[in-house]
């Protein structure tokens, strides 16, 4: 099963994978429909893009929901968005493989087959990058902020006021004010422009 909001990608992947004796049983074009479609189709492997919907990496949230609702789902991340922090986060959340869209389709097909057989796949380049990333340490918001803080951070980076964020998250402005100040202190940044640049750098919002 393919989860991607670009019909041409779904069509192209379906054609390419068929040449490697892999059948696409269906697709989902929105993050909200992935879990239900997966439950209905019961595919062996889900190929999941990270870019979904508006204003963020919805695919990571979908991945977390898949792991919560299904026992050891076999999920292959297939995306053009391949920054080190996101690769590590995807594996932490339960992905069995991370394949950049620049990868040869034959390698994607091989990864899908290996994941279907129960393996966790690390392409050589991905493995090297994760190793270097581990040595350098992680100062990204993904690593330093709690889930709710991360959500507030993304809204802050988009330029929303505390009141607007409070309305979006159904929380009190005072709670958001306290949380936003904590986020700024943790990241050592207090200008919205700096927060926006940091969020773009780590792929948390669109540039």
């Amino acid at each position: 099963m393919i989860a991607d909001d670009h019909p041409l990608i779904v069509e192209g992947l379906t054609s390419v994978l068929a040449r490697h004796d892999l059948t696409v049983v269906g697709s989902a074009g929105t993050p909200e429909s992935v879990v239900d479609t997966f439950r209905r189709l019961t595919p062996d492997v889900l190929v999941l893009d990270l870019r979904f919907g508006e204003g963020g990496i919805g695919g990571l949230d979908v991945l977390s929901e898949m792991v919560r609702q299904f026992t050891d789902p076999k999920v292959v991340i297939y995306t053009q968005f391949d920054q080190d922090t996101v690769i590590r986060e995807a594996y932490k959340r339960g992905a069995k493989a991370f394949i950049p869209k620049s990868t040869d389709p034959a390698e994607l097909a091989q990864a899908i087959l290996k994941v279907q057989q129960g393996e966790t796949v690390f392409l050589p380049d991905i493995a090297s990058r994760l190793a270097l990333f581990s040595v350098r340490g992680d100062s990204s918001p993904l690593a330093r902020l709690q889930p709710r803080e991360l959500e507030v951070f993304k809204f802050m980076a988009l330029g929303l006021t505390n009141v607007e964020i409070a309305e979006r998250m159904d929380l009190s402005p005072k709670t958001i004010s306290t949380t936003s100040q904590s986020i700024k202190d943790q990241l050592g940044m207090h200008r919205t422009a700096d927060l926006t640049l940091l969020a773009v750098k780590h792929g948390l919002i669109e540039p």
Side-chain angles (χ1 to χ4, degrees):
M1 174 185 155
I2 299 171
D4 194 298
D5 57 3
H6 291 89
L8 287 177
I9 295 291
V10 175
E11 183 178 338
L13 266 185
T14 299
S15 176
V16 166
L17 295 176
R19 295 201 290 270
H20 296 275
D21 298 322
L22 292 169
T23 301
V24 175
V25 296
S27 64
T30 65
E32 295 81 11
S33 63
V34 174
V35 170
D36 287 342
T37 305
F38 186 90
R39 182 177 287 110
R40 176 169 54 84
L41 298 175
T42 63
D44 294 316
V45 178
L46 170 65
V47 177
L48 174 66
D49 191 8
L50 290 183
R51 284 286 185 206
F52 266 114
E54 300 177 358
I57 313 169
L60 284 176
D61 296 326
V62 172
L63 176 59
S64 295
E65 189 64 17
M66 289 291 300
V67 171
R68 190 179 73 82
Q69 295 210 25
F70 301 98
T71 302
D72 197 29
K74 295 178 171 65
V75 181
V76 173
I77 300 298
Y78 183 62
T79 183
Q80 64 184 8
F81 182 75
D82 65 343
Q83 286 157 314
D84 294 348
T85 51
V86 176
I87 294 172
R88 193 182 76 164
E89 188 68 15
Y91 278 109
K92 281 174 63 178
R93 295 195 188 196
K96 302 298 183 185
F98 194 106
I99 313 295
K101 285 185 175 177
S102 57
T103 303
D104 188 305
E107 287 192 75
L108 170 63
Q110 282 296 111
I112 291 171
L113 287 168
K114 289 179 179 178
V115 168
Q116 191 275 329
Q117 293 163 6
E119 297 183 38
T120 298
V121 177
F122 294 89
L123 296 181
D125 177 60
I126 295 295
S128 297
R129 288 168 60 183
L130 287 176
L132 285 171
F133 188 59
S134 178
V135 169
R136 290 196 306 262
D138 186 358
S139 60
S140 75
L142 275 168
R144 299 174 68 175
L145 302 177
Q146 296 300 312
R148 188 169 77 171
E149 291 176 329
L150 188 63
E151 188 175 358
V152 172
F153 167 75
K154 287 192 283 187
F155 285 135
M156 291 167 64
L158 288 169
L160 274 66
T161 66
N162 287 342
V163 172
E164 290 170 331
I165 297 171
E167 290 175 352
R168 291 279 188 99
M169 298 182 66
D170 196 24
L171 295 169
S172 73
K174 183 177 180 181
T175 296
I176 297 301
S177 177
T178 301
T179 303
S180 63
Q181 186 59 52
S182 174
I183 290 167
K184 291 175 182 178
D185 292 342
Q186 289 181 71
L187 298 177
M189 295 180 176
H190 292 81
R191 295 173 62 243
T192 300
D194 293 333
L195 296 173
T196 300
L197 287 173
L198 183 66
V200 170
K201 174 184 176 182
H202 290 284
L204 295 170
I205 62 172
E206 296 278 3

